[in-house]
Amino acid sequence: MYVTIADFVAEWKREAALTQQVLNGLTDASLQQKVYGEGRTLGRIAWHFTTNIPEYLSEFGIAIEQIPNAEEVPASAKGIADTFAKISDRAARAIEEQWTDASLQTVQNAFGRDESNASILMGLIKHIVHHRGQVTILMRQAGLKPFGVYGPPKEDWVHFGVEQAPL
């Protein structure tokens, strides 16, 4: 749990950098990869967690500029990655400017539950991590090598002296 805004911002920046690496590995063609026939595309999922950042924060009292035309998934992987970079930086600044360490203890209703602002912020990170995992699987299905978020992808195990990635 976050005790200070600085604690949150440090973790936010670490996770945002990992997410940025994943998004930077996307191609325009990969954005069309679907979970299943009627499911969301990789592009829709990446755009969802990007556009959700200001929506989520606004829901809990943070004034932050919304993404125009958020319902329209860009055709460009670079467009999604660039937007995420801007939004993640903007979110950190808005939280630093608008909330104090004491604000983290304030309790609000979050999706039918009473939660502290610290828990609400943790929920935002977990939401992005959840969808980032989906994106890395869809990258593999689209023929791309995913970025090793918390560990190397199978192709990079050889750099650690392992001929074949462990099962």
Side-chain angles (χ1 to χ4, degrees), residues 36-144:
Y36 56 93
E38 300 81 36
R40 291 195 264 181
T41 63
L42 186 161
R44 167 62 61 199
I45 294 168
W47 190 238
H48 161 69
F49 70 70
T50 297
T51 60
N52 180 256
I53 296 167
E55 292 170 2
Y56 185 98
L57 292 174
S58 293
E59 181 71 23
F60 299 108
I62 298 289
I64 184 170
E65 182 182 341
Q66 301 297 303
I67 299 172
N69 303 317
E71 65 284 347
E72 298 174 28
V73 178
S76 158
K78 183 175 178 353
I80 294 172
D82 289 352
T83 301
F84 180 83
K86 284 185 248 178
I87 293 301
S88 61
D89 285 344
R90 193 179 298 161
R93 280 195 314 274
I95 292 165
E96 286 175 315
E97 292 169 0
Q98 297 174 45
W99 279 1
T100 64
D101 294 347
S103 300
L104 295 174
Q105 296 174 23
T106 300
V107 174
Q108 299 190 54
N109 185 283
F111 313 108
R113 298 181 306 261
D114 287 340
E115 293 192 29
S116 69
N117 284 341
S119 292
I120 288 168
L121 291 178
M122 185 179 292
L124 177 59
I125 288 178
K126 287 179 178 181
H127 178 250
I128 293 169
V129 168
H130 161 73
H131 288 302
R132 184 177 69 202
Q134 292 176 320
V135 167
T136 60
I137 295 298
L138 290 171
M139 288 175 76
R140 180 71 72 194
Q141 290 178 352
L144 300 176

